[in-house]
Amino acid sequence: MAEKRSPARRPTMKDIARRAGVSESAVSFALNGRPGVSETTRARVHRVAEQLGWRPSTAARALSGEGAATVGFVLARPAHSLGVDSFFLQLVSGIQEVLAERHLGLLFQMAEDVADECAVYRRWWAEHRVDGILMVDPRADDPRPGLLDELGLPAVVIGGAPDERHPELSTVWADDAAAMASVVDELTTLGHRRIVHIAGLPGLAHTQRRVRTLRAEADRRGLSEVRSVTTDYSDAEGAAVTRRVLRAAPPPTALIYDNDVMAVAGVAAAAELGYSVPDDVSVVSWEDSALCRMVKPWLSALSRDSAEFGRTAARELTALLDGGSARAVRVPVPRLTVRGSTAPAADRDAPSRSAS
């Protein structure tokens, strides 16, 4: 009778490091597309991995019944506010691009609120449904990072500033304060002194950073007629708030919208009231998208590579799944692209022409 052979041992990142003559951390960086190694080292690591027949650990664990080969993504926002939200569409496309390379699935679910989202995490953990979490919309006094730490679920927080209280979670974030400062600088250079920021959900950490920065920039410049108004990100609320602030006396000469959907709705609402953009009021959208180039005039907007934001977050999570260390990664500051919707402030308190 033939002797029973032991199952072949799967190659590990340690095996690759030993064969390639580099550290395990260098192997993790190279295989996950993270910076920190030279292109020569990256190529050598990939070559050795291919020679050894290495495969990502999550896929291997899934085949052996030990893992889900799935990443979880929960969004606790009103479903109607998503609409044609370009940021999330691009973010998810970038995430999916990286996960597909690793043969990982993406489990997406809407939640009523943060408490409901926490319940989803607990259920997924108990059912072994996911190997890791991509967490979005960080909030002040957010219970989710602590819960993810408690559950031991690898996670990346998208959009939150680094948090020393949860060193096991990675963070991918953009400098909202610097972006808002650049918008205020552009508008005040054009002579605008009455500025209204039509913001997103009030509980979100990035909304609060933008509001604080606007207030600080206004104080620094001695501007008293600058304020923020929060919304649910929807076109309906964007239009409603636009009508309300433009009917005030005196009305603002510049409007900053926290997404492209609200900005486009705001332009239409302003036109209904007889306001011309940019002759009577300048408009800036926080998110750039095709929508910003489908209205006249084209909208000035903060531009960023939202898909790359998603790819970066997914790479950081796969690195955690491979045993890498958590870290904070800052993506480039959104850059203001000036188009036809911003112009020097008009010296008037009413629209240049009335609605027909």
Side-chain angles (χ1 to χ4, degrees):
M1 183 177 178
E3 183 179 348
K4 185 177 181 180
R5 293 190 299 177
S6 299
R9 186 177 71 87
R10 293 187 179 94
T12 66
M13 296 179 78
K14 183 179 291 186
D15 297 327
I16 298 172
R18 187 182 302 113
R19 174 80 69 88
V22 298
S23 66
E24 287 186 59
S25 60
V27 172
S28 177
F29 290 167
L31 292 176
N32 289 290
R34 299 168 76 183
V37 295
S38 68
E39 289 307 311
T40 300
T41 297
R42 194 183 306 278
R44 183 163 73 252
V45 167
H46 277 280
R47 185 169 60 252
V48 170
E50 183 67 25
Q51 291 169 352
L52 293 177
W54 177 86
R55 292 294 180 270
S57 61
T58 46
R61 289 191 298 116
L63 290 172
S64 64
E66 298 173 7
T70 301
V71 168
F73 183 105
V74 182
L75 189 58
R77 284 193 186 186
H80 73 273
S81 70
L82 290 181
V84 290
D85 192 311
S86 62
F87 171 74
F88 273 105
L89 291 174
Q90 292 297 318
L91 181 77
V92 171
S93 71
I95 289 169
Q96 184 58 40
E97 184 179 329
V98 171
L99 297 184
E101 293 172 356
R102 298 289 300 266
H103 305 290
L104 293 169
L106 181 65
L107 181 58
F108 174 78
Q109 185 164 329
M110 297 290 293
E112 290 294 325
D113 50 31
V114 171
D116 185 28
E117 182 173 342
C118 288
V120 171
Y121 291 156
R122 289 185 182 280
R123 184 169 66 253
W124 282 352
W125 172 79
E127 296 173 353
H128 303 280
R129 296 284 299 278
V130 298
D131 294 317
I133 296 291
L134 291 165
M135 193 196 100
V136 295
D137 288 345
R139 290 161 163 81
D141 302 319
D142 200 324
R144 295 172 296 169
L147 173 61
L148 292 169
D149 261 350
E150 174 192 324
L151 298 177
L153 276 172
V156 174
V157 179
I158 301 175
D163 187 348
E164 295 179 355
R165 296 171 299 175
H166 305 288
E168 299 305 312
L169 305 183
S170 285
T171 302
V172 177
W173 65 292
D175 191 344
D176 292 288
M180 177 60 85
S182 72
V183 173
V184 176
D185 186 62
E186 172 68 17
L187 292 175
T188 54
T189 298
L190 292 171
H192 294 280
R193 297 294 180 266
R194 300 195 302 273
I195 302 170
V196 173
H197 168 216
I198 300 178
L201 294 166
L204 301 185
H206 67 255
T207 299
Q208 295 175 1
R209 286 197 300 270
R210 296 172 191 180
V211 170
R212 284 196 304 268
T213 303
L214 178 65
R215 183 70 266 158
E217 291 294 320
D219 291 345
R220 186 167 69 84
R221 292 171 166 83
L223 306 178
S224 60
E225 296 180 275
V226 174
R227 62 193 176 103
S228 297
V229 182
T230 56
T231 70
D232 66 359
Y233 279 116
S234 71
D235 57 336
E237 283 207 13
V241 172
T242 300
R243 295 186 191 101
R244 188 164 73 245
V245 300
L246 289 180
R247 284 171 175 151
T253 63
L255 300 171
I256 305 168
Y257 294 86
D258 259 7
N259 70 13
D260 50 348
V261 175
M262 290 197 298
V264 171
V267 169
E272 291 172 5
L273 297 178
Y275 282 79
S276 172
V277 176
D279 295 337
D280 301 313
V281 61
S282 287
V283 169
V284 175
S285 168
W286 194 276
E287 296 294 340
D288 196 5
S289 73
L291 279 178
C292 295
R293 301 182 296 279
M294 291 181 180
V295 295
K296 291 186 178 181
W298 286 10
L299 301 186
S300 296
L302 282 163
S303 303
R304 60 177 166 182
D305 190 341
S306 300
E308 181 57 27
F309 204 162
R311 286 190 288 268
T312 300
R315 290 188 192 108
E316 293 304 313
L317 183 55
T318 57
L320 289 177
L321 296 178
D322 286 334
S325 300
R327 63 179 196 154
V329 179
R330 184 168 67 176
V331 299
V333 176
R335 176 180 52 82
L336 180 60
T337 299
V338 177
R339 301 191 180 105
S341 67
T342 47
D347 185 18
R348 60 171 72 94
D349 292 337
S352 60
R353 60 188 180 191
S354 59
S356 57

